[in-house]
Amino acid sequence: LVNYWQRDFPLVARPYAELGAWLGLAEAEVLARLGKLAGDGTVSRIGAVFRPHTLGWSTLAAVAVAPERVETVARAISAFPEINHNYEREHDFNLWFVATAPSRERVAAVLREIGQAARSPVLDLPMLEDFHIDLGFDLSGAPRPHLEPTRRRDEPEQVRLDAADHALAAALEGGLAHVPRPYAELAGRLGWTEEAVLKRLRHLLDLGVIRRFGVVVRHRELGYHANAMVVWDVPDARLAEVGRGLAGQAAVTLCYRRPRQAPHWRYNLFSMLHGQDRAGVLAELARLRGELGLNDVDCQPLFSRRRFKQCGARYGSLAKVA
């Protein structure tokens, strides 16, 4: 259930029955197992992962906080509904969080408030180019095939989304219900037909607005306890080459370009490595540097210390109160 359905979740009237048919389980058993996985925190939700900057604006940000104030400031950051991820990492800039809102202006306002509360400059690091975004975890140990990026940031930004798309995004924030006909349940809340929901989901997937539709898991609960955001100071002329090289590696779950922010931040490429222990992640990083010819490129692994918040972005419902 977790391994095979993190993407390409069935867009049919009874998806859990279809999963059961693949796995040799009754529909009721599939629902019971997914309910248990959700209850113990392994499964966050079943739903859509939207491409950044299509339904609104998002950015990765960080502040530098004295150790004795980390928990207090982290609670203040997590209290913003616009914050959907909030981690302590090993760096002078030690609190890293993702802010998502219907507009760039609202994100900027949230960052200003957080900067005042943290008494720190705020690194505002929106994604400029993605080389690979597919935060799924293969539990079989089989290598992920190299996946060329199919779309670039400027393509979805040209898509004109309407009020119905935003309404669907808002209704999906908590994920699909664990009922036999979840799309019908979703349609009922929206005042649509079940077929209208399925048709629009397929359309948004075709456009690349939805990057992945399926089971969204929490990596720590799956045993990936070592989580390193590896930041690279890549010469601009080599950035595309290095980004594509890292994106083709099975161990790299995310890889994207973000801006430098002088004088506080000189790194322009971000990649994520997840492993079961710190030594394994560092060994994988050393292997990547050697095989890809990156030993001359300065990088720094920022391991996470604590997770303060992890949930889906709230583009849709925040738009109602913006």
Side-chain angles (χ1 to χ4, degrees):
L1 287 175
V2 172
N3 201 45
Y4 299 137
W5 302 104
Q6 294 177 56
R7 55 188 64 77
D8 302 323
F9 195 81
L11 293 177
V12 297
R14 299 185 78 103
Y16 302 116
E18 182 155 320
L19 266 61
W22 276 89
L23 298 168
L25 298 173
E27 181 183 54
E29 177 69 10
V30 170
L31 287 166
R33 287 175 183 249
L34 285 171
K36 181 178 184 300
L37 290 167
D40 66 21
T42 300
V43 168
S44 172
R45 60 191 167 89
I46 300 171
V49 176
F50 289 93
R51 186 179 179 89
H53 311 314
T54 52
L55 288 168
W57 188 258
S58 66
T59 193
L60 175 68
V63 289
V65 180
E68 64 273 13
R69 298 188 64 235
V70 164
E71 291 189 12
T72 299
V73 175
R75 281 195 299 271
I77 292 172
S78 295
F80 284 89
E82 292 85 357
I83 303 301
N84 53 290
H85 285 68
N86 185 12
Y87 280 79
E88 180 187 10
R89 294 192 177 277
E90 296 175 355
H91 193 270
D92 290 341
F93 280 91
N94 50 353
L95 284 178
W96 290 80
F97 48 95
V98 176
T100 300
S103 70
R104 190 170 188 168
E105 291 74 21
R106 177 55 190 162
V107 169
V110 169
L111 297 188
R112 283 194 298 271
E113 292 184 51
I114 288 174
Q116 292 168 1
R119 305 171 204 160
S120 165
V122 179
L123 297 180
D124 181 3
L125 304 168
M127 186 185 75
L128 300 179
E129 182 177 9
D130 74 90
F131 296 101
H132 180 63
I133 301 180
D134 187 11
L135 193 52
F137 294 89
D138 186 358
L139 306 183
S140 69
R144 170 176 64 82
H146 175 70
L147 299 175
E148 289 289 347
T150 56
R151 296 179 185 269
R152 279 288 178 254
R153 172 184 161 181
D154 57 346
E155 293 179 30
E157 284 190 336
Q158 295 171 7
V159 175
R160 295 292 179 262
L161 303 180
D162 59 24
D165 296 312
H166 288 272
L168 179 58
L172 270 173
E173 284 172 359
L176 292 180
H178 295 169
V179 297
R181 298 190 68 158
Y183 301 112
E185 187 275 341
L186 186 62
R189 288 190 279 123
L190 289 165
W192 299 5
T193 66
E194 181 182 53
E195 183 51 40
V197 166
L198 290 167
K199 182 178 179 180
R200 192 166 288 265
L201 286 172
R202 294 186 191 107
H203 179 62
L204 293 176
L205 279 162
D206 288 342
L207 290 176
V209 172
I210 295 177
R211 291 298 303 265
R212 176 165 67 89
F213 192 87
V215 179
V216 180
V217 300
R218 291 190 173 96
H219 59 270
R220 292 188 181 213
E221 284 75 3
L222 285 172
Y224 291 88
H225 299 292
N227 160 9
M229 181 173 71
V230 183
V231 294
W232 305 77
D233 182 9
V234 182
D236 292 342
R238 294 185 60 192
L239 193 138
E241 166 209 340
V242 174
R244 286 193 295 266
L246 287 170
Q249 298 294 312
V252 176
T253 51
L254 303 171
C255 184
Y256 31 62
R257 179 167 68 95
R258 296 186 183 276
R260 307 178 198 273
Q261 196 176 104
H264 304 293
W265 191 255
R266 58 191 173 87
Y267 300 101
N268 59 345
L269 188 66
F270 289 64
S271 59
M272 291 297 305
L273 292 175
H274 294 81
Q276 295 183 341
D277 56 65
R278 186 186 188 98
V281 170
L282 291 174
E284 185 63 26
L285 176 57
R287 184 192 68 78
L288 290 175
R289 297 187 76 184
E291 290 189 6
L292 297 177
L294 300 178
N295 285 323
D296 63 330
V297 177
D298 183 38
C299 74
Q300 190 172 1
L302 277 57
F303 281 91
S304 65
R305 287 178 172 147
R306 283 181 284 182
R307 179 180 66 195
F308 292 105
K309 187 175 185 180
Q310 181 188 357
C311 63
R314 302 181 61 207
Y315 286 112
S317 61
L318 288 171
K320 299 176 184 178
V321 298

